[in-house]
Amino acid sequence: MYREISKLIIYRQSAQDTILCELGKVFKDFDLKSATDDALRTRIYEQVRNLLEVATKYGFDNNLWHNYLTFLIITDENPFSLTYEKAGVQKGTVNSFAINDFSVFKALFDFDFSAIEKALDINCFSVLSNYEAIAKREQIFNKNVSEKVKELSRAIEDACDGEAVFYLVADFYKKYGVGMFGLNKAFRIETDEHCIDMKFRAITNMHKVTLDDLIGYESQKHALVENTEAFVNGKGANNLLLYGDSGTGKSTSIKAIVNQYYDRGLRMIEIYKHQFGCLSRIISEIKNRNYRFIIYMDDLSFEESEIEYKYLKAIIEGGVETKPDNVLIYATSNRRHLIKETWKDRTDVQQDGDMHRSETIEEKLSLVNRFGVSIGYFKPSRREFDEMVLALAARHPEITMDKEQMIAEAHKWEMLGGGINGRTAQQFVNHLLGQA
């Protein structure tokens, strides 16, 4: 094994991964007889445990060794994988290096563990090659990663040589991408106070909501889809602000649109107000990737004393550096103009002929004006609220309450403090499910 690992060129960094690297060292010591059987057995079991942790985290089963090697291939961001993610198969000298590395991975796929198992009286590698998970609960791993790893792993198993693996992997990179951006839908930012140490963290348990789950608001959903469709297709699209009453489905709409267009390369990066100083760096990290990124700001608003909105203005439109074509900003807010307005903003009114202008108001409005599309979400009428409750309850056969009684109970529920909106309707249906 260690001899094969030493042949890697482009994917050499993968060989530094703990499990593959440590197993390579184990086999070297086994061949050179430079460690006792007990010591080798202990080291093997340590890596088997690590492999089981990876399998549990990502939902692997069947041949865990093959799944693990495939996972290394599709998460290694190197010059080859990043180029093929964007352009697909190309002619070039780098292909010969890539085929060399995939020949190594194919050899590792077909590696014969029987000699070391017999010598050390173990069978762990045989067990890992036919592993059946105890429980496959979607909530404990990212299903996108699991399915794609197992799909490519089975294809590599059937490949005849490294060149065949080369075309399989190149096609995978072009279709799905590479690394965390290729395998996940949404991300958060982890950073220090000065944005020096910044990392992207995948959100692996994103709610699988769709636009159909949001009852009503058809014109709002149409405007959102229209703008996002143009963006995904590489056409002109605008930054987008969803504003209006709380509980009306603004955040749900954004999540649903990411779910809907994930397979077409749409990704979402959620950031918070205190991270606006990192926006330039975030954009520089993603501008050359083969994805369309929505930078998502939930519940965006600024108090009178907060000045971060001025920095955001420059990022959206107005700074020296042009925002790349693969990045849009989507925000939700309960405030139409994002920034708190006061009566004293109107005290600096200047008169120019028949025009009255407030510089303070103009400055504050200039931020929301940089969102090319603004979509309003407002509280439904009582009739629309009743329709929401009935439509949501109809999706659950276990709810058998009479419609008239259900509406009456829903009215009592919203009077407890939730108000008339979609969130309250969903919370009431959740209550009914708990009672069913």
Side-chain angles (χ1 to χ4, degrees):
M1 180 180 292
Y2 63 94
R3 294 189 179 92
E4 294 296 336
I5 294 174
S6 68
K7 298 175 185 177
L8 289 171
I9 303 173
I10 298 174
Y11 290 82
R12 178 163 292 276
Q13 190 64 34
S14 292
Q16 304 307 312
D17 177 270
T18 301
I19 298 174
L20 183 60
C21 179
E22 291 303 316
L23 284 178
K25 293 176 182 178
V26 167
F27 277 84
K28 183 175 183 179
D29 290 341
F30 173 71
D31 287 348
L32 299 178
K33 301 186 184 304
S34 55
T36 65
D37 289 356
D38 288 340
L40 292 173
R41 193 179 297 111
T42 298
R43 289 162 61 188
I44 288 174
Y45 286 158
E46 287 176 352
Q47 299 315 312
V48 168
R49 180 183 181 278
N50 291 336
L51 191 56
L52 289 172
E53 287 184 351
V54 173
T56 301
K57 181 177 181 180
Y58 294 101
F60 300 156
D61 58 12
N62 297 325
N63 195 316
L64 299 191
W65 176 242
H66 290 177
N67 289 171
Y68 169 71
L69 293 175
T70 304
F71 180 73
L72 293 184
I73 291 173
I74 66 177
T75 55
D76 193 321
E77 296 183 359
N78 57 61
F80 167 78
S81 61
L82 292 175
T83 299
Y84 275 59
E85 170 191 85
K86 199 158 191 175
V89 176
Q90 302 288 311
K91 293 182 179 179
T93 306
V94 71
N95 291 355
S96 62
F97 294 135
I99 291 174
N100 168 83
D101 283 15
F102 293 132
S103 297
V104 171
F105 276 108
K106 181 59 177 171
L108 293 173
F109 255 71
D110 300 335
F111 192 83
D112 185 3
F113 292 97
S114 61
I116 198 168
E117 286 190 321
K118 182 177 180 180
L120 300 180
D121 192 25
I122 58 177
N123 69 339
C124 52
F125 294 111
S126 298
V127 172
L128 292 178
S129 67
N130 190 25
Y131 183 82
E132 183 176 354
I134 296 176
K136 300 177 182 179
R137 300 193 316 174
E138 293 182 13
Q139 61 266 35
I140 64 173
F141 62 84
N142 187 333
K143 192 175 181 181
N144 290 318
V145 177
S146 173
E147 290 180 345
K148 288 178 174 58
V149 166
K150 289 186 281 190
E151 176 187 350
L152 182 58
S153 177
R154 289 190 294 268
I156 294 177
E157 289 173 1
D158 298 333
C160 58
D161 55 23
E163 185 173 2
V165 177
F166 165 82
Y167 285 106
L168 287 171
V169 174
D171 181 66
F172 183 93
Y173 287 157
K174 180 60 178 175
K175 187 175 182 180
Y176 298 113
V178 60
M180 77 167 103
F181 288 135
L183 297 173
N184 298 282
K185 297 178 183 178
F187 309 85
R188 288 194 179 96
I189 300 298
E190 290 184 0
T191 182
D192 56 17
E193 183 179 356
H194 302 289
C195 200
I196 297 175
D197 183 19
M198 187 188 79
K199 295 179 181 178
F200 291 93
R201 295 296 184 191
I203 301 173
T204 59
N205 59 340
M206 186 172 171
H207 190 200
K208 296 180 180 179
V209 66
T210 68
L211 287 175
D212 290 337
D213 294 328
L214 182 63
I215 308 300
Y217 300 99
E218 297 304 322
S219 62
Q220 290 89 337
K221 291 188 289 187
H222 175 76
L224 176 61
V225 168
E226 186 178 51
N227 192 72
T228 308
E229 182 80 25
F231 179 51
V232 169
N233 289 334
K235 300 179 180 179
N238 287 293
N239 299 311
L240 192 146
L241 172 65
L242 276 58
Y243 70 93
D245 300 315
S246 62
T248 52
K250 301 183 296 295
S251 300
T252 298
S253 295
I254 301 295
K255 297 171 188 174
I257 211 73
V258 174
N259 288 329
Q260 181 170 328
Y261 288 97
Y262 164 72
D263 289 336
R264 294 172 61 180
L266 186 65
R267 303 292 185 267
M268 180 179 76
I269 300 173
E270 183 178 24
I271 71 166
Y272 303 102
K273 191 160 48 178
H274 69 275
Q275 298 174 323
F276 283 176
C278 300
L279 272 170
S280 293
R281 185 172 174 189
I282 292 171
I283 291 174
S284 68
E285 291 279 342
I286 63 179
K287 64 182 179 181
N288 292 321
R289 299 304 299 266
N290 193 34
Y291 309 100
R292 299 280 166 174
F293 289 93
I294 288 174
I295 296 180
Y296 173 49
M297 304 169 185
D298 188 33
D299 198 17
L300 182 64
S301 64
F302 299 92
E303 297 302 323
E304 187 176 5
S305 60
E306 295 176 318
I307 61 172
E308 289 93 340
Y309 73 91
K310 296 183 178 181
Y311 186 81
L312 181 57
K313 281 167 56 178
I315 291 294
I316 295 178
E317 185 180 329
V320 175
E321 185 177 8
T322 302
K323 183 168 62 64
D325 293 336
N326 70 328
V327 176
L328 282 184
I329 293 177
Y330 280 16
T332 66
S333 179
N334 294 336
R335 290 177 177 171
R336 171 66 178 88
H337 296 144
L338 299 177
I339 303 168
K340 183 179 180 179
E341 297 179 66
T342 63
W343 282 107
K344 71 178 182 178
D345 291 339
R346 303 176 183 272
T347 63
D348 66 341
V349 173
Q350 299 177 358
Q351 183 170 348
D352 183 9
D354 292 331
M355 299 295 293
H356 296 265
R357 178 171 60 87
S358 167
E359 291 183 351
T360 302
I361 292 176
E362 287 295 324
E363 182 194 19
K364 290 186 173 182
L365 290 179
S366 66
L367 173 58
V368 73
N369 289 339
R370 299 189 185 197
F371 288 88
V373 176
S374 294
I375 305 174
Y377 282 67
F378 304 106
K379 288 183 178 180
S381 65
R382 174 74 69 179
R383 179 182 59 80
E384 290 170 334
F385 175 75
D386 294 346
E387 291 174 353
M388 287 180 181
V389 171
L390 294 176
L392 291 170
R395 297 173 179 174
H396 304 282
E398 59 269 39
I399 298 178
T400 57
M401 183 180 293
D402 177 79
K403 290 183 179 181
E404 292 185 3
Q405 181 184 357
M406 187 184 303
I407 294 302
E409 293 296 326
H411 291 173
K412 294 178 184 178
W413 180 271
E414 63 88 6
M415 291 177 64
L416 295 175
I420 299 176
N421 56 53
R423 179 182 297 148
T424 301
Q426 182 63 65
Q427 290 170 346
F428 173 68
V429 171
N430 292 342
H431 168 70
L432 295 183
L433 287 172
Q435 301 298 314

